[in-house]
């Protein structure tokens, strides 16, 4: 390829690499294998009786650069994960006995995602017994996950998105493993 034809191709590649890549809820949901492993340990009191309050924190992805996690995407991932392990209430009526609140308090990302990307997340969870009005569980869960260069060679925002989703899926899995140890 000679120089005049190479410049437009390079410019196009740079423009495409700069587009934002919002995190999606399905890759943040615990895998069916993880859900199956956890489902057998869910206490009877939590089966089908946990509702999810509106998630706080999160940020919409900008049009031009990066990847963020919206509160809506995290909420959907939590609801699907709780449903997968059998904790989520199947219907809004009657109101679920337990309410899970989540707040995305930290999303640490590199300013420029170069070769490999490591993302750190922290989510504050609170499980409340709505009938008794008491907190059963409260914890800030923090973890990190990464995405390698070969997973999205031409798109740094895509690598960031992959690392975001992995970090939050692992964070939700840690929450679910904590919840099955409760004896409400």
């Amino acid at each position: 390829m000679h120089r005049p034809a190479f410049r437009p191709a390079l410019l196009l590649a740079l423009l495409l690499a700069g587009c934002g890549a919002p995190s999606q809820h399905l890759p943040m949901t615990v895998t069916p294998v993880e859900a199956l492993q956890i489902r057998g340990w869910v206490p009877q009191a939590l089966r089908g009786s946990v509702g999810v309050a509106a998630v706080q924190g999160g940020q919409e992805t900008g049009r031009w650069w990066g990847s963020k996690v919206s509160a809506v995407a995290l909420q959907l991932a939590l609801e699907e994960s709780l449903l997968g392990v059998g904790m989520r209430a199947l219907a809004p009526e009657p109101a679920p006995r337990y309410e899970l609140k989540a707040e995305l308090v930290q999303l640490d990302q590199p300013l420029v995602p170069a070769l490999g990307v490591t993302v750190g997340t922290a989510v504050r969870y609170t499980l409340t017994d709505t009938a008794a009005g008491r907190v059963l569980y409260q914890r800030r869960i923090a973890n990190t996950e990464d995405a390698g260069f070969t997973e999205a060679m031409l798109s740094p925002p895509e690598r960031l998105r992959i690392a975001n989703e992995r970090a939050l899926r692992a964070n939700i899995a840690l929450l679910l493993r904590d919840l099955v140890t409760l004896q409400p």
Side-chain angles (χ1 to χ4, degrees), residues 23-184:
S23 297
Q24 303 296 312
H25 76 279
L26 285 177
M28 290 190 284
T29 304
V30 293
T31 65
V33 171
E34 288 174 310
L36 187 60
Q37 290 172 344
I38 295 169
R39 187 178 305 144
W41 297 97
V42 174
Q44 190 61 38
L46 293 178
R47 291 183 190 269
S49 59
V50 177
V52 180
V55 170
Q56 303 297 311
Q59 185 179 2
E60 295 294 327
T61 299
R63 176 183 167 110
W64 297 110
W65 187 257
S67 177
K68 300 293 181 188
V69 177
S70 70
V72 172
L74 181 55
Q75 175 148 0
L76 289 171
L78 273 171
E79 289 173 352
E80 291 294 321
S81 296
L82 287 169
L83 185 63
V85 299
M87 287 187 202
R88 183 168 156 234
L90 297 176
E93 295 295 328
R97 175 162 182 180
Y98 303 101
E99 181 181 59
L100 179 67
K101 295 178 183 173
E103 179 185 5
L104 181 61
V105 293
Q106 185 176 352
L107 184 66
D108 286 337
Q109 302 172 315
L111 187 58
V112 177
L115 298 176
V117 176
T118 299
V119 170
T121 61
V123 182
R124 183 178 298 116
Y125 297 103
T126 305
L127 183 68
T128 308
D129 182 340
T130 55
R134 65 186 177 108
V135 173
L136 298 174
Y137 174 85
Q138 190 169 34
R139 182 174 173 204
R140 178 182 180 269
I141 298 177
N143 63 308
T144 61
E145 288 291 329
D146 45 275
F149 177 72
T150 58
E151 294 176 87
M153 287 192 247
L154 297 178
S155 178
E158 190 69 16
R159 280 195 299 279
L160 212 48
R161 180 192 63 80
I162 292 168
N164 287 345
E165 292 167 350
R166 282 184 184 159
L168 284 163
R169 182 177 59 234
N171 194 287
I172 292 170
L174 289 169
L175 164 73
L176 294 175
R177 283 183 169 78
D178 273 358
L179 292 182
V180 297
T181 63
L182 294 178
Q183 296 301 323

